[in-house]
Amino acid sequence: MIELKPSAYAPYEDPEDYILSWTDRIWEPRGMGQIREHYLPDIKVHGAYGTIVGNEPIIKACLQKNAAYPHRLFTGEDVIWEVRDENTWLSSHRIVNCGKQEGFWQYGPPTFKHTSSRNIAVCLVRDAMIAEEWVVRDEWAVVEQSGHDIDAIARQIAFSPSAGLLGEKGGKLLGDAPANPLVGGVSGKRPQHGREEDQRVVAMIDDVWNQHLRNLVPAYFSRDIVIETTRHRTHARDDGYKSELDHLFGPFPDAQVEIYDVAFNEDSFHGTRVSILWVLNGTYSGVPQYGPVTGSPVEIFGVSHFQFRGDKIYKEWRVYDELAVLAQIKRARGDEPTSH
């Protein structure tokens, strides 16, 4: 069994303390320049709109976000971390963001309305520095709660020259999926793979999500399963879980989900959890959930956290950017922003 060297998360107590403390150190006092001490200079940050390279562009983006949300607060719900080698580890950090848009932002002028949303940031940490990051945000919730026009913002994003939406990247935001994510994902080899919970979640995604064997939900999930997902949708029990899968797959009935990374952690406080970094690829050829059907390809980048009770999953947190989904469809439809 490989153990992390303390230098891999120094000067903090453990990887969870490292992630939570660094988040507070940067955002609470608005010390954006400290990102240079935390992220490698050539870091890659992958998101629903493409990849940012370098810590300086990240600082610039954070400064703009701070101008729009100067009193936004971050609360860490969980940090699922896993060893990669004695100097390297992977973190999957689930965060709740709360605040008001008090300044100008890409979505429009300040509205002073309270917003709350959930993010998950998956970080590869090497020698106590973040080397690469994959992040998903529930931007639809932010735009909607702020009082901005969802359709107008999606059109704006769809035709922005800086948005790396599907079509600009050939439909592969994260490149090709690994052959066996249980053995190794986009973050690298998993030296301590093969636990039962890892295997159960990967098998569940194939059976219940990809093969649409909804009848197998009771085999994988507790009777009291609760799913929390985008736009603050919360469902319970088998029927609720199936309903949320219908929301995800109904517009894209030919879609398949590929797993890009897996992380496992268990401790006395949080219990046993598995993080899955996934990408759904399909065509908008099903129910018209996002307006008239286009038959065009759609790519959805998401992360799910699964929590176990015994040998069954009893909680899932699923985060993906539905605003990015709507923007892809509007681009395919040629639904350009209205000029003034």
Side-chain angles (χ1 to χ4, degrees):
M1 179 175 178
I2 298 175
E3 292 190 6
L4 276 176
K5 290 181 178 179
S7 59
Y9 48 82
Y12 300 100
E13 181 180 339
D14 55 30
E16 180 175 4
D17 185 33
Y18 170 100
I19 292 292
L20 296 177
S21 296
W22 259 116
T23 302
D24 286 348
R25 279 185 62 182
I26 292 170
W27 288 99
E28 293 284 344
R30 299 168 71 181
M32 298 300 105
Q34 295 180 95
I35 284 173
R36 299 183 186 96
E37 306 167 27
H38 185 47
Y39 284 30
L40 289 177
D42 59 348
I43 184 176
K44 292 181 179 179
V45 179
H46 310 278
Y49 305 104
T51 297
I52 297 173
V53 180
N55 57 24
E56 293 302 324
I58 294 170
I59 292 171
K60 291 175 183 177
C62 290
L63 289 173
Q64 295 174 69
K65 194 68 172 277
N66 266 343
Y69 299 89
H71 299 106
R72 190 173 59 149
L73 296 176
F74 298 82
T75 296
E77 290 187 294
D78 194 8
V79 179
I80 302 173
W81 63 271
E82 180 180 277
V83 175
R84 287 293 180 265
D85 61 44
E86 61 183 10
N87 300 307
T88 310
W89 47 282
L90 190 71
S91 160
S92 189
H93 179 200
R94 194 174 72 248
I95 309 155
V96 172
N97 304 310
C98 296
K100 296 178 181 180
Q101 187 191 338
E102 301 175 54
F104 281 86
W105 183 230
Q106 61 186 15
Y107 305 138
T111 62
F112 301 98
K113 293 185 177 181
H114 177 78
T115 69
S116 64
S117 63
R118 182 175 278 117
N119 298 355
I120 300 181
V122 178
C123 295
L124 182 65
V125 185
R126 183 178 298 116
D127 294 321
M129 294 285 285
I130 295 184
E132 195 164 3
E133 182 175 359
W134 300 262
V135 61
V136 289
R137 300 181 176 92
D138 184 3
E139 288 297 284
W140 188 307
V142 175
V143 172
E144 187 171 56
Q145 293 169 37
S146 295
H148 297 299
D149 185 322
I150 290 286
D151 282 344
I153 298 302
R155 289 196 298 269
Q156 174 186 318
I157 292 170
F159 292 93
S160 168
S162 61
L165 292 168
L166 181 66
E168 323 309 317
K169 304 287 185 179
K172 289 287 187 179
L173 278 172
L174 303 183
D176 293 329
N180 185 349
L182 285 168
V183 175
V186 288
S187 66
K189 185 179 178 181
R190 300 181 67 223
Q192 297 171 28
H193 64 275
R195 285 164 289 246
E196 182 180 345
E197 292 86 357
D198 298 10
Q199 295 170 1
R200 285 187 66 79
V201 172
V202 170
M204 183 280 296
I205 288 174
D206 184 46
D207 286 343
V208 178
W209 291 21
N210 285 338
Q211 304 304 320
H212 307 299
L213 296 172
R214 307 286 196 260
N215 56 301
L216 295 182
V217 165
Y220 289 103
F221 294 92
S222 164
R223 184 196 75 132
D224 296 316
I225 174 64
V226 173
I227 167 132
E228 294 186 31
T229 186
T230 57
R231 293 194 260 164
H232 297 284
R233 293 191 305 274
T234 301
H235 292 284
R237 301 284 184 96
D238 291 0
D239 281 351
Y241 194 84
K242 294 172 187 177
S243 294
E244 193 50 49
L245 284 178
D246 290 339
H247 181 93
L248 180 60
F249 283 94
F252 321 107
D254 61 348
Q256 290 287 287
V257 168
E258 293 181 297
I259 297 173
Y260 278 72
D261 224 314
V262 179
F264 169 95
N265 193 280
E266 61 181 349
D267 60 53
S268 59
F269 182 77
H270 297 290
T272 301
R273 296 99 68 223
V274 175
S275 168
I276 300 289
L277 193 157
W278 53 267
V279 174
L280 176 150
N281 277 284
T283 57
Y284 186 43
S285 55
V287 298
Q289 191 164 288
Y290 302 101
V293 170
T294 60
S296 56
V298 169
E299 182 177 29
I300 302 176
F301 168 31
V303 180
S304 290
H305 282 184
F306 298 91
Q307 192 162 16
F308 278 78
R309 179 175 290 161
D311 63 351
K312 291 191 175 183
I313 302 162
Y314 81 98
K315 191 74 180 281
E316 181 188 349
W317 294 265
R318 183 186 305 159
V319 181
Y320 59 98
D321 191 336
E322 277 196 277
L323 186 61
V325 176
L326 184 60
Q328 290 175 60
I329 292 167
K330 287 191 173 295
R331 185 177 181 88
R333 195 183 291 131
D335 193 2
E336 296 195 40
T338 303
S339 59
H340 295 284

